[in-house]
Amino acid sequence: MELQIKQVISWMEKTNEKIQSNKEYLTSLDQAIGDGDHGLNMARGFQEVVNKLSSSNYTYVSDVLKDVSMTLLSKVGGASGPLYGTAFLKMSTALKGIETVDYPQFKKAVVEAVNGVKERGKANKGEKTMIDVWEPIVDFLQKQDNLEAKELESTAEKAMEATQDLKATKGRAAYLKERSIGHLDPGSVSSYYIFAALSEVLEEGA
Amino acid sequence: MKKIVNDPELVVEEMLQGFVAAHPNDVKQLPNTTVIARKDAPVSNKVGLVSDGGSGHEPAHAGYVGEGMLDAAVAGEVFTSPTPDQVFEAIKAVDSGQGVFLVIKNYTGDVMNFEMAKEMAEAEGIRVQQVVVNDDVAVEDSSFTTGRRGIAGTVFVHKIAGAKAAQGGSLEEVKAVADKVVANVRSIGMALTPCTVPAAGKPSFVLEDKEMELGIGIHGEPGIERKAITTADQLATELTQKVLDDMNLSSGDEVAVMINGLGATPEMELYIVNRKVSEILSDKGFKVYETFVGNYMTSLEMAGCSVTLLKVDQELKDLLEVQSKALAFRR
Ligand SMILES: Nc1ncnc2c1ncn2[C@@H]1O[C@H](COP(=O)(O)OP(=O)(O)OP(=O)(O)O)[C@@H](O)[C@H]1O
Ligand SMILES: [Mg+2]
C-alpha cells in the first residue's frame, strides 16, 4: 500500500460522506445508551475537516493529518472530539516529513494513534468504546505484511458489531451498566466508517 | 418538535447573543468564541474561575458568571462539552496572574477537553487547578468506571469556590474549599418527561403517561430505574433517602438544600417536594441552614427535579453568605 496526500484527503472525504449520510443513525445509537449527540458532533466535525482540507495546500501527509486533528479537536466536542483529535495527531506525529507513506509506516502510525486514544480515554479493550474497533485493527495490521483493503473493512465491521454484546464501563454508556448490553457503541460505529472509507481509498489506489 | 428557534444549528450562538444583549454591563462574549466572561475580566489579583458544560442547562453556566462566582463560562453545543481551544480562551481571558480554577462536571468528554485545555494553558505558563464534581448518587462511584456524574450540586461549588476567590483566596485555597464542597454534596434527579435536543429533533427517550425515571442525568440520558409515578411525598421520600444513604450525617448536622427544576416543572411542584424534604430532614434531626428552590441546572424542557444536600460547616456557611452578583444567583 501507499498513501499520499491525495489519498488521505479522499479518505477524509469518504469518511465525511459516510458520517453525513448516517448522522441520524449515529445519533439514534447514542440516544439509546448515551446522550444523543454523537451523530451531530461527528457530522459537524468532519464537514469542517473537509472544508479545511479543500481550502489548503499540503506538502506532507503529516500536515494533512495535523489539520484533521486540530479541526476535530476544535469542532467535535464531547468525548469523541479529544479522542479522534488525539488519534489523528499521533498519526501526524508518527508520519512527520514523509511524502509517501508505506505500509510499515502506516502500521506504526495506527499503533501510536491507538495508544494515544487509550491514554487520553484511560480505557482499554472490552469497555465498549471506539478502542474496541481500533485495537482489533492494530492486531490485524500487525499480522499482515501487506494490506488487504477488503479485509481491513471486514475486520473493522466485525469488531464494530461485537460491541453490541459488551457491557460499557467507560463513557456515558457506563451509567447504564447491564442495560448497555445489546446496543452498538456509537463511537465504534463511527470508527468503522473511518476504516471502511480508508479501505475504499486503498482499493481504488490498488 | 415544537420550539422557539430560528435554526436548530444556531441555538447556542443566538442564545449567547441574546444573553449579552440582556446584560451588557455585566458580561461580554469573547470574540469568535462561545465564552461568556465578566465584563471586567481579568479581575486583578484574583484567582479566575471557569466552568463549562454543554448548553441546555440554563441558567447554567453563563448565569453564574459575575462577581462572587464565575469569571467565565464556556458553552458547548447542546449537551456536548466545549472544545479545548474554547476553554483555553476562557482561561487566558480570566487569568490575572493568580492562576485559574476550573470547575468540571464528571463526564468523560468534559474531563478530557478540560485536561487538554489545561495542558495548553500550562504550556503558556498559566497555573491551573481543577475540581471534578461528582454529586449524583444514582451512579455508582467506582475507580474502574467513569464514576458518578456531576449535576446540580455543581452550583454550590460555583458559589463557594467563587466566594473564596472573591475574598482573595489563593489557587490552593480555592481548590481546598472546592474539594470540601465536592466531598460533602450529594444529589439525585428524576424525570417525568424527556427533552429534545434542537438539532436532533426528537426526544432522547420515551416515558409513558404513568411512568417516571429515577436517577436521570441532565443530558437526556436514561436514568437508573423506570417505574410508575408516585405522589410528591413518596417521591421526595425516595429521593431524599437515596441522597442521605450516601452522606454521613449525624443528628444536629446542618445542610443546605437545593430543590432544582429540570426545566419544565413549575415552582409549585418544586415547593411541594421541598415541603416533604424539609419535614424528613427535621424528623431525622438535621438542621436546614438554607434552602434554594428553582431552576438552577436544567435539562432543556425536561419535566422533573433533583434534590441536592450539602453538609455545611462554619466555613461553608460563611462562604455561602458572601455577596454574589451572578445573574442567576444574586445575593
Ligand atoms: N474513555 C473513553 N475512551 C475511549 N472512547 C471513549 C471513552 N468514552 C467514550 N468513548 C467513545 O466516545 C463515544 C461517544 O462520543 P460522543 O461524541 O457521543 O461524546 P459524549 O460521550 O456524549 O461526550 P460528552 O460527555 O461531552 O457529551 C462512545 O461511543 C465511545 O466510543
Ligand atoms: Mg454522546
Side-chain angles (χ1 to χ4, degrees), chain B:
Chain B
M1 181 178 75
K2 208 170 165 188
K3 283 180 190 286
I4 308 175
V5 298
N6 296 311
D7 176 347
E9 305 287 336
L10 296 179
V11 288
V12 174
E13 183 50 37
E14 293 187 350
M15 165 183 75
L16 295 176
Q17 288 169 9
F19 189 82
V20 176
H23 312 291
N25 301 321
D26 303 299
V27 299
K28 60 187 175 193
Q29 181 175 4
L30 303 184
N32 301 317
T33 71
T34 55
V35 179
I36 297 288
R38 271 174 68 164
K39 186 96 187 227
D40 54 356
V43 182
S44 58
N45 264 315
K46 191 184 88 70
V47 169
L49 245 79
V50 175
S51 186
D52 87 310
S55 295
H57 305 305
E58 293 67 34
H61 297 82
Y64 300 120
V65 171
E67 190 183 326
M69 281 179 94
L70 304 177
D71 292 271
V74 194
E77 291 296 325
V78 177
F79 294 167
T80 298
S81 67
T83 58
D85 52 320
Q86 301 277 318
V87 180
F88 180 42
E89 291 303 320
I91 292 173
K92 283 192 291 189
V94 305
D95 180 43
S96 68
Q98 300 301 309
V100 175
F101 190 69
L102 307 177
V103 181
I104 313 170
K105 287 188 262 24
N106 191 30
Y107 298 96
T108 309
D110 293 71
V111 172
M112 286 192 293
N113 284 299
F114 257 89
E115 273 173 3
M116 297 190 85
K118 181 179 175 175
E119 288 163 17
M120 293 175 187
E122 286 173 345
E124 291 209 358
I126 302 176
R127 284 196 305 143
V128 178
Q129 286 279 2
Q130 80 272 19
V131 68
V132 179
V133 187
N134 60 350
D135 54 320
D136 187 357
V137 301
V139 181
E140 182 187 17
D141 191 18
S142 146
S143 53
F144 299 106
T145 65
T146 312
R148 292 194 312 238
R149 302 180 283 227
I151 54 174
T154 311
V155 178
F156 283 131
V157 181
H158 293 163
K159 173 69 193 81
I160 288 170
K164 189 75 190 175
Q167 289 182 337
S170 68
L171 188 56
E172 288 66 33
E173 287 167 338
V174 172
K175 161 117 181 102
V177 79
D179 284 341
K180 187 172 177 182
V181 177
V182 169
N184 287 288
V185 69
R186 296 289 185 273
S187 307
I188 191 166
M190 61 77 58
L192 297 173
T193 64
C195 58
T196 300
V197 173
K202 56 183 195 331
S204 42
F205 57 89
V206 180
L207 279 174
E208 300 301 331
D209 242 12
K210 293 256 153 44
E211 277 180 341
M212 62 177 186
E213 181 122 346
L214 286 187
I216 199 90
I218 50 173
H219 303 88
E221 66 269 60
I224 46 168
E225 194 188 349
R226 190 166 291 192
K227 54 201 264 183
I229 186 165
T230 59
T231 63
D233 282 0
Q234 284 169 315
L235 175 65
T237 307
E238 183 162 10
L239 295 179
T240 310
Q241 198 52 52
K242 287 208 153 71
V243 172
L244 286 174
D245 285 347
D246 207 275
M247 293 187 78
N248 215 340
L249 292 184
S250 23
S251 184
D253 280 347
E254 285 185 273
V255 290
V257 178
M258 179 176 282
I259 311 295
N260 172 56
L262 291 180
T265 290
E267 282 192 23
M268 173 194 273
E269 293 170 30
L270 300 178
Y271 280 109
I272 294 173
V273 170
N274 186 57
R275 169 185 166 274
K276 188 65 184 177
V277 172
S278 66
E279 182 188 306
I280 295 168
L281 293 174
S282 83
D283 283 354
K284 293 191 185 287
F286 309 134
K287 281 198 279 200
V288 174
Y289 173 68
E290 188 169 3
T291 304
F292 301 85
V293 176
N295 288 330
Y296 288 95
M297 181 71 71
T298 61
S299 186
L300 292 171
E301 76 282 27
M302 181 175 273
C305 69
S306 61
V307 172
T308 299
L309 299 181
L310 167 67
K311 180 181 169 194
V312 289
D313 60 5
Q314 198 56 50
E315 182 188 24
L316 298 188
K317 287 196 287 186
D318 291 345
L319 289 168
L320 266 179
E321 292 311 321
V322 171
Q323 163 173 282
S324 159
K325 291 192 179 162
L327 297 159
F329 208 103
R330 285 195 194 274
R331 45 174 34 210

Side-chain angles (χ1 to χ4, degrees), chain A residues 87-142:
Chain A
F88 284 100
L89 186 62
K90 295 284 177 182
M91 281 194 240
S92 166
T93 311
L95 299 174
K96 204 163 185 62
I98 298 171
E99 271 174 57
T100 302
V101 177
D102 65 18
Y103 184 53
Q105 289 163 336
F106 173 73
K107 224 191 262 195
K108 179 166 162 279
V110 179
V111 171
E112 299 279 320
V114 181
N115 289 342
V117 171
K118 287 163 86 173
E119 207 174 301
R120 181 62 64 195
K122 300 188 181 65
N124 279 303
K125 194 168 167 237
E127 302 202 84
K128 201 177 182 108
T129 71
M130 58 176 74
I131 294 166
D132 290 305
V133 167
W134 285 76
E135 189 124 313
I137 291 288
V138 166
D139 295 343
F140 164 76
L141 295 176
Q142 299 286 27

